Amino acid sequence: MTYKRRLWSSLLVVCLVLIPLSVASARQERPTVALVLGGGAARGFSHIGLIQALEENGIPIDMIVGTSMGSIVAGLYAGGYSVENIAEVAVHLDASKLLDIPIPLTGGVVDSTGIQVFLDELLGGRTYDEMPIPFKSVMVDLGTARDVAFSEGKVSIGIQASMSIPGVFPPVEINGRYYVDGGLTNQVPANVAAAMGADVIIAVSLEKDYSNADYRNIIDNLRMSLAAMMGGYTQINTSMADVVIVPKVGLDSSWEFQKVAYFIEQGYEAGLEYMDQIKAAILAKEPGFTFHPYRQQGYTKDELKEIVGRAEQRVERLPKRFTFKPEFQFDRLYNFPKLGFKFTHGPLSWFGIGYRYGMDPEDGGHEVFVDWGKHNWGSVDLFVRKSPQKEQPTFGFYVQGPELKQLSLEAAYASQGEKAWQVSASNPRLWDHSPVVAGLSLRVTGLRQQEDVPLKDTLLMAAAPQVQVFPWGEEHFPVTVVLARPYVLGRLTLESPVTKLDVRPSLTVGIGSELHFFGLYPADLSLGVEVSSTAETRVNFRLTGLRF
């Protein structure tokens, strides 16, 4: 009996030892899969769709490496965000709120501190060793010209350095060294994944299609030359990948941040197109591997909204450097252009103080002003203007409310001139069915009472429906750092005194273009001819919405 007990006890000990070893061995048999996401500015949104395709087809992601825009998507996914979470942030976030263009420039045109702070809040201030999925971001050390796979300290700072395109963003200082965009020497860092010990490497290269390039265009030539220099590094590093995925994202799409949904779809389709190759690479390492679809849980919509809200508030509270900025706007009452400059931020905080010159012989002139404004609150502008044709200075103000679903509310006042005040509400996209967009503007204007004008005739109301036709639909044309979407404009203005119906129509026809500077800062430029009911004509030139 004692012998049997000893025998069973020995067998039990052997089983307890062998079972964990067999489980560990089974785990080790499954190949480790790494995902490498290359850089490509706005084209990098395609990574979101690609990850969705991998999840739906049961392709595991055990570690992840990113360069430039790829490091942003990679970092968020490695930090626990779901595909839906990342897409939600990409589609609805106004990235211009995270960026600042300080003048004079220091190291780059755009200050990226806001992006770093925003990402830091989204990632909960995590360091690399706290990430749920092992992650490295790739950057270039400016002092040595060598690429570095960063995996120490705060993830948000590593991502900021990895996406710091030279000239656009200033280099990022980390421990006394200065780093810029990893895409300069390692656009698709599959070699980093190999060094991390990955068995299967899936790399994504956001290559541009130069088949339709214009060799007489200096911009196209510079782009192709840069791509040729970077291409050698890309070929060397991607040679270590088992599968290299190339989404079909075109030539001129680097700044098209408004096309998030399009890029996500292109990434998803590319993932499906290469899926057989991906599965074959995994099965070559482990023939018995079973692909089980899964979905990273991420956050609920309410949780995500709360996190993004906190992140935006942190960015808004950031102290900004004392800045000198150019000013270009149109007078809200008389629509003449005003050029000048202002000082803002630093000790002035959200206030600005500056000088403008109004280009109108009657109501223009030298103008000093103080303004205040925030994205979510609107803006206030107080001015004093000395016009050549007026003995006394003109005092006035302009107030603009926050934009609410394309609805813009404005109010203006001037102490001299034919118009005393004006209140308006406008929505340029009341009906949007590309290539045709219809809008409507309503305004009430108070005229300054004259001796020969009855008081009841000093209050005017107007409605101005307009139609924009975009001949090329949603297509945007790149012009250096600006994306242009041309249109043809028609506007009918119907104005009448409030106390009696006496409609005075005028018709404006012209051309214009939606503009996106760096793909982020929207503006609208138009030039038209206005014809009144008395056959009087005047040229209208407008530039609206431009604010850095």
Side-chain angles (χ1 to χ4, degrees):
M1 189 72 176
T2 303
Y3 172 76
K4 288 183 177 180
R5 285 181 178 176
R6 289 178 179 175
L7 180 61
W8 282 109
S9 297
S10 299
L11 290 173
L12 180 61
V13 170
V14 171
C15 289
L16 290 174
V17 171
L18 291 178
I19 289 174
L21 289 175
S22 63
V23 172
S25 177
R27 285 177 179 170
Q28 291 174 358
E29 285 178 0
R30 183 176 81 71
T32 301
V33 180
L35 178 62
V36 179
L37 303 181
R43 302 192 310 279
F45 289 129
S46 61
H47 296 318
I48 303 171
L50 173 75
I51 295 174
Q52 180 184 352
L54 296 179
E55 286 187 343
E56 290 179 357
N57 285 272
I59 308 300
I61 301 175
D62 301 305
M63 58 183 67
I64 191 163
V65 181
T67 288
S68 195
M69 187 65 176
S71 71
I72 297 178
V73 177
L76 291 176
Y77 189 78
Y81 283 83
S82 67
V83 168
E84 292 78 11
N85 291 159
I86 303 173
E88 181 75 13
V89 172
V91 170
H92 294 102
L93 179 68
D94 182 358
S96 65
K97 295 180 181 179
L98 311 182
L99 303 170
D100 186 41
I101 301 182
I103 299 175
L105 306 176
T106 55
V109 176
V110 182
D111 184 358
S112 62
T113 305
I115 291 181
Q116 183 269 316
V117 170
F118 183 81
L119 290 172
D120 191 59
E121 185 65 36
L122 260 60
L123 295 170
R126 287 191 184 101
T127 57
Y128 281 88
D129 56 5
E130 295 172 328
M131 296 292 274
I133 300 176
F135 164 60
K136 288 188 178 184
S137 51
V138 176
M139 60 196 74
V140 172
D141 185 331
L142 272 183
T144 64
R146 295 180 178 176
D147 56 278
V148 178
F150 206 68
S151 59
E152 297 178 357
K154 279 201 170 186
V155 176
S156 59
I157 295 177
I159 294 176
Q160 179 193 17
S162 180
M163 53 150 278
S164 292
I165 304 170
V168 178
F169 302 110
V172 176
E173 181 185 1
I174 303 175
N175 299 327
R177 308 293 299 181
Y178 289 86
Y179 298 92
V180 294
D181 195 309
L184 285 180
T185 60
N186 204 345
Q187 185 81 349
V188 189
N191 61 314
V192 175
M196 293 171 69
D199 298 311
V200 177
I201 301 174
I202 304 167
V204 186
S205 179
L206 300 174
E207 299 175 7
K208 292 184 178 181
D209 178 12
Y210 287 102
S211 58
N212 296 319
D214 182 0
Y215 291 87
R216 296 169 299 178
N217 185 304
I218 187 172
I219 301 300
D220 279 5
N221 287 334
L222 289 173
R223 287 175 176 170
M224 289 185 288
S225 299
L226 182 61
M229 288 188 290
M230 296 167 58
Y233 295 109
T234 300
Q235 290 177 6
I236 294 171
N237 294 322
T238 56
S239 64
M240 300 182 185
D242 295 275
V243 181
V244 180
I245 300 173
V246 183
K248 299 173 183 177
V249 290
L251 168 63
D252 297 313
S253 50
S254 298
W255 303 112
E256 296 187 76
F257 290 95
Q258 78 286 355
K259 293 173 62 175
V260 175
Y262 164 78
F263 287 126
I264 292 176
E265 180 62 27
Q266 291 299 309
Y268 180 77
E269 291 180 2
L272 297 181
E273 181 181 347
Y274 286 82
M275 194 56 62
D276 288 342
Q277 293 183 40
I278 296 170
K279 289 184 176 181
I282 295 174
L283 292 173
K285 302 287 184 178
E286 174 51 50
F289 183 80
T290 305
F291 300 94
H292 295 290
Y294 64 97
R295 180 170 171 260
Q296 184 155 285
Q297 184 174 356
Y299 299 92
T300 66
K301 284 190 175 182
D302 290 339
E303 289 172 337
L304 182 65
K305 183 178 180 181
E306 182 181 349
I307 294 171
V308 172
R310 289 200 309 265
E312 290 179 336
Q313 288 174 9
R314 273 190 64 184
V315 173
E316 192 164 330
R317 290 195 298 266
L318 275 175
K320 294 181 180 288
R321 182 164 61 89
F322 187 62
T323 300
F324 168 85
K325 289 190 174 183
E327 276 279 306
F328 180 73
Q329 60 173 253
F330 282 79
D331 187 83
R332 295 310 193 264
L333 288 174
Y334 298 100
N335 199 39
F336 57 81
K338 297 190 287 188
L339 295 174
F341 60 86
K342 76 174 179 179
F343 297 95
T344 185
H345 302 319
L348 296 175
S349 185
W350 292 98
F351 286 89
I353 182 169
Y355 164 83
R356 292 185 293 245
Y357 184 81
M359 299 180 183
D360 184 83
E362 182 67 27
D363 294 290
H366 300 280
E367 179 177 302
V368 293
F369 68 93
V370 176
D371 67 8
W372 175 92
K374 284 189 176 184
H375 282 288
N376 297 327
W377 289 80
S379 61
V380 179
D381 187 308
L382 307 175
F383 66 86
V384 179
R385 181 193 305 143
K386 183 63 179 74
S387 301
Q389 303 299 323
K390 293 180 170 60
E391 295 183 2
Q392 300 297 323
T394 300
F395 300 90
F397 67 81
Y398 164 64
V399 179
Q400 182 177 29
E403 189 174 282
L404 304 172
K405 295 182 178 179
Q406 299 289 336
L407 177 64
S408 177
L409 303 175
E410 301 178 353
Y413 166 81
S415 63
Q416 293 187 87
E418 179 187 4
K419 299 177 182 178
W421 58 269
Q422 183 171 283
V423 177
S424 66
S426 60
N427 186 335
R429 294 183 173 275
L430 199 59
W431 184 80
D432 189 343
H433 192 72
S434 184
V436 179
V437 177
L440 177 65
S441 176
L442 303 174
R443 71 170 184 260
V444 178
T445 305
L447 303 179
R448 188 157 277 104
Q449 188 176 9
Q450 306 292 334
E451 293 182 0
D452 56 342
V453 179
L455 180 62
K456 63 180 182 178
D457 291 338
T458 60
L459 194 61
L460 305 177
M461 61 179 179
Q466 70 172 30
V467 175
Q468 294 169 294
V469 178
F470 295 84
W472 293 274
E474 297 291 338
E475 185 173 357
H476 289 69
F477 298 92
V479 183
T480 61
V481 296
V482 179
L483 290 173
R485 187 187 177 205
Y487 62 78
V488 178
L489 170 69
R491 181 188 303 113
L492 177 63
T493 302
L494 304 172
E495 190 173 51
S496 171
V498 172
T499 55
K500 64 177 181 179
L501 186 61
D502 182 16
V503 178
R504 306 158 189 171
S506 63
L507 178 65
T508 301
V509 292
I511 58 174
S513 179
E514 291 182 353
L515 305 173
H516 284 83
F517 289 83
F518 301 104
L520 298 173
Y521 299 95
D524 193 283
L525 176 69
S526 65
L527 177 65
V529 177
E530 182 179 5
V531 183
S532 69
S533 57
T534 59
E536 294 181 0
T537 62
R538 66 173 181 175
V539 176
N540 284 334
F541 172 73
R542 292 187 180 184
L543 178 62
T544 59
L546 181 59
R547 182 177 291 272
F548 294 121

